Amino acid sequence: MNTQEIRQKYLEFCQRNGHVVIERAPLILHNDPTTLFTGSGMQPLLPYLLGQDHPQGTKLADSQTCLRAQDIEDVGDNRHTTFFEMLGNWSMGEYFKRQQIEWFFEFLTEIVGLDPHKIYVSCFIGDEKNNIPRDDEAAQIWQEVFAKKGIEAKIVELDSAENGDKLGMRGGRIFFYDDKENWWSRGGGIDSTPIGDPCGPDSEVFYDFGEQHHDASFGQAHPASDSGRFMEIGNQVFMQYRRLDDGSFEPLKRKNVDFGGGLERIAAAAIDSPDVFKISLLQPIIKKLESLSGKEYATHTASMRVIADHLRAAVFLAVDGCVPSNKEQGYVMRRLLRRAIRYSFDLGIEQNFLEEVVPVIADLYEADFPEVKENRESIIAVLVKEEKAFRQTLRKGLRQMQHYIDDGLTGEELFTLYDTFGFPVELSTEEAYKQGIKLSDNWRAEFDARMAEQRQRSKTARKGQFSGGLEGHDPIHLKYHTATHLLGAALRKVLDAPDLQQHGSNITAERLRFDFNHDKLTSEEKQAVEDQVNAWIDADLPVRFAVYPTDEALKMGAIGAFGERYGDEVKVYSIGEGDNIISFEVCGGPHVEHTGVLAEGGKRFKITKEESSSAGIRRIKAVLR
């Protein structure tokens, strides 16, 4: 069974068991200020797991595309990718541990066909300090499902992953770990669980590729080790507690299940290979690179893995409306593309090659994701344009290097080539070797020091930009979210531009940001927009929502974000009442209940900046102060 078939079989399996299959959310969530990208399958559904009602019911399933840019430096080994799909199913107050565990085990063994003897699981060991018991319920259910396959599943307490490195397997199949491994909350472990939040133990599922894949430098083998023998293929989160104001925990009245399974990893287990790049969604890309370069995967493994992963991520960013730039998501997209092009030099591919590889990636996905087929030509055009521009940048960098032939290259100069010209340090040092340019004795330390300074600046900037962390539903975020809708409505009215669309937004505790298609605004237009938003705030208009069938909502004139896709039903927020509805937009929420709240403390809406975001797209930043 190939990867595409596993995805399809999973969704069909969930449908047979009463789930509604929902469409994937885009990689860029327009109204989530807490992160650049959709980084997990549950992220788009977090409001519903926290208590909101989902318009499509209480039993949901999907295959969610995800991007984790923090893994970019790890790509090159056999299992890390920046882009991946998460198979997910959720129960909001319906089934719980028994049904979830039995279903997932059935899917793995009966549908995918995994050998149950190669499946191992972990559960939560409990926390005596917080009066949270060991999750014997989940462990007992696991013992029962293994017993039906004739497997005696011994329980072993390892407590921590570090302890597991010392003790090893001890004949176990079900392993108890602490909250670092088997507890879910938005804050991480038990002690960092936010007050008022739902939380609970989780049960992870691992596939054993065999002792021959164990790296003894990690210590003894056990499922939570990074030694290479085991690979996590799924995690079942059982939200059954809520943290109280005094820091203690009480059982939830409505218990939820959040399951996420890595599609690529399950597919790797299905072919019994720890190399995810051998699955059917990545191997055709590798084959194309072999054909273009005349090199073999076996001898140029890391380079081909980086290119295959990064281009797949860039394709889906383009599908979801992202374009390469020097800011935020566009910067990550540009970095992915440039790393892929840099590694193409290792393969001897020094001419444009994206127009050859990107269609291969599109072919792999367009049958299951119609948006890939619909945007195929524009995707190719965006990525090829970036490649051509970067190859020109590389040539500029090469010319700049000529200035260092006599005196040699220091780490400072290598950083300048990287930071100013976008010239990767690997290419700089390789080129220096080719041209006989001497490198200073401590160039690496000098370069790393400058890179560390830059990372610290970026880290500080990100903290300021996403200061809400995961508490994106605080009162100030609700105010700015509602102000964003008011801003969009004011722009359409003042500019007489009914077709003006949102092309992205970002909301923090300090300000809102709104991207839209239009020309540069004049000073008079900006003032008029400000005045209109403040007039609507002063009018204290009601803010309400209702759920409609999608077709009906669109016929009623509901406005959606550019590039957004919706299911059969949508939540629509309206601002105003009667004949004075000034905003009617598809939105997941949340918002304030009336616009007058935005003026609390004498605050006024103020545009602080209006600038270009990308070709044809303007960006406004505004505050309440």
Side-chain angles (χ1 to χ4, degrees), residues 91 96 100 155-156 168 191 221 244 277 307 310 333 343 386 401 479 481-482 495 506 517 540 574 615:
S91 166
F96 203 46
Q100 173 58 41
I155 294 175
V156 170
D191 291 336
L244 302 178
F277 290 87
I307 296 170
H310 288 9
M333 184 181 188
Y343 276 93
E386 179 67 11
M401 287 187 71
K479 291 179 182 179
H481 194 178
T482 304
L495 302 177
N506 176 268
N517 57 308
D540 199 19
S574 61

Side-chain angles (χ1 to χ4, degrees), residues 213-225:
H213 294 289
H214 174 63
D215 182 348
S217 67
F218 288 87
Q220 298 293 316
H222 64 103
S225 168

Side-chain angles (χ1 to χ4, degrees), residues 1-13 16 87 103-116 119 149 207 233 259 261-272 279:
M1 184 181 297
N2 69 25
T3 317
Q4 294 93 320
E5 291 169 336
I6 291 173
R7 183 201 294 126
Q8 187 60 38
K9 293 292 185 184
Y10 173 77
L11 298 176
E12 292 172 354
F13 179 80
R16 289 198 300 273
L87 303 176
W103 273 340
F104 187 43
F105 191 74
E106 178 187 352
F107 175 72
L108 291 178
T109 59
E110 302 298 325
I111 307 298
V112 180
L114 299 189
D115 181 354
I119 295 175
K149 295 291 186 180
Y207 184 83
I233 58 175
F259 165 74
L263 173 62
E264 289 87 351
R265 293 187 169 200
I266 293 173
I271 61 174
D272 199 27
I279 67 172

Side-chain angles (χ1 to χ4, degrees), residues 399-588:
R399 287 197 296 269
Q400 182 67 21
M401 287 187 71
Q402 301 304 311
H403 298 300
Y404 306 127
I405 289 179
D406 295 333
D407 299 328
L409 271 167
T410 66
E412 291 272 344
E413 291 161 342
L414 287 167
F415 180 81
T416 299
L417 284 167
Y418 165 78
D419 193 47
T420 303
F421 295 93
F423 208 67
V425 67
E426 297 90 349
L427 276 183
S428 295
T429 53
E430 179 182 334
E431 204 58 37
Y433 175 77
K434 288 180 182 178
Q435 298 187 33
I437 301 174
K438 182 182 177 182
L439 299 177
S440 64
D441 293 336
N442 59 340
W443 73 265
R444 172 55 75 179
E446 294 167 345
F447 179 84
D448 288 346
R450 291 298 306 276
M451 283 295 293
E453 291 173 7
Q454 187 188 65
R455 289 193 189 100
Q456 186 59 46
R457 288 194 299 270
S458 298
K459 184 178 180 181
T460 302
R462 283 198 301 272
K463 284 183 177 179
Q465 180 182 356
F466 301 111
S467 57
L470 282 177
E471 75 265 20
H473 294 171
D474 283 350
I476 186 61
H477 296 99
L478 272 63
K479 291 179 182 179
Y480 274 127
H481 194 178
T482 304
T484 300
H485 283 225
L486 294 175
L487 172 59
L491 286 165
R492 294 182 188 96
K493 180 178 180 180
V494 170
L495 302 177
D496 190 21
D499 294 330
L500 182 145
Q501 287 188 310
Q502 173 185 323
H503 282 248
S505 69
N506 176 268
I507 299 162
T508 74
E510 286 77 33
R511 55 99 181 109
L512 68 82
R513 192 198 74 204
F514 185 81
D515 295 351
F516 59 100
N517 57 308
H518 202 269
D519 299 327
K520 182 178 180 180
L521 272 63
T522 65
S523 299
E524 292 77 12
E525 288 171 334
K526 283 187 285 187
Q527 186 61 56
V529 169
E530 271 186 23
D531 293 343
Q532 180 61 78
V533 172
N534 284 314
W536 284 332
I537 292 173
D538 293 340
D540 199 19
L541 303 172
V543 182
R544 303 186 178 98
F545 77 85
V547 177
Y548 299 97
T550 301
D551 290 344
E552 180 181 338
L554 297 178
K555 288 178 182 177
M556 293 168 65
I559 294 172
F562 177 78
E564 194 71 271
R565 294 170 294 103
Y566 306 105
D568 295 332
E569 292 184 314
V570 291
K571 181 185 286 189
V572 180
Y573 273 86
S574 61
I575 301 178
E577 57 187 340
D579 296 330
N580 187 33
I581 300 293
I582 59 103
S583 174
F584 191 65
E585 295 191 48
V586 178
C587 181

Side-chain angles (χ1 to χ4, degrees), residues 132-193:
I132 298 175
R134 193 174 84 158
D135 195 1
D136 291 319
E137 180 185 3
Q140 182 179 343
I141 297 169
W142 277 116
Q143 283 189 313
E144 292 173 10
V145 298
F146 278 118
K148 291 178 181 178
K149 295 291 186 180
I151 299 172
E152 182 180 354
K154 178 183 176 181
I155 294 175
V156 170
E157 287 195 3
L158 292 181
D159 189 23
S160 66
E162 293 78 12
N163 205 38
D165 295 339
K166 300 172 185 176
L167 298 176
M169 304 280 287
R170 296 196 293 167
R173 186 166 296 274
I174 300 170
F175 298 86
F176 279 109
Y177 292 101
D178 60 16
D179 63 317
K180 290 183 180 179
E181 303 296 329
N182 283 99
W183 178 265
W184 184 89
S185 81
R186 290 198 293 170
I190 285 184
D191 291 336
S192 55
T193 299

Side-chain angles (χ1 to χ4, degrees), residues 384-398:
V384 168
K385 179 182 178 182
E386 179 67 11
E387 179 185 16
K388 290 178 178 178
F390 181 52
R391 289 191 183 276
Q392 290 179 349
T393 297
L394 288 178
R395 284 192 284 272
K396 291 179 182 178
L398 288 171

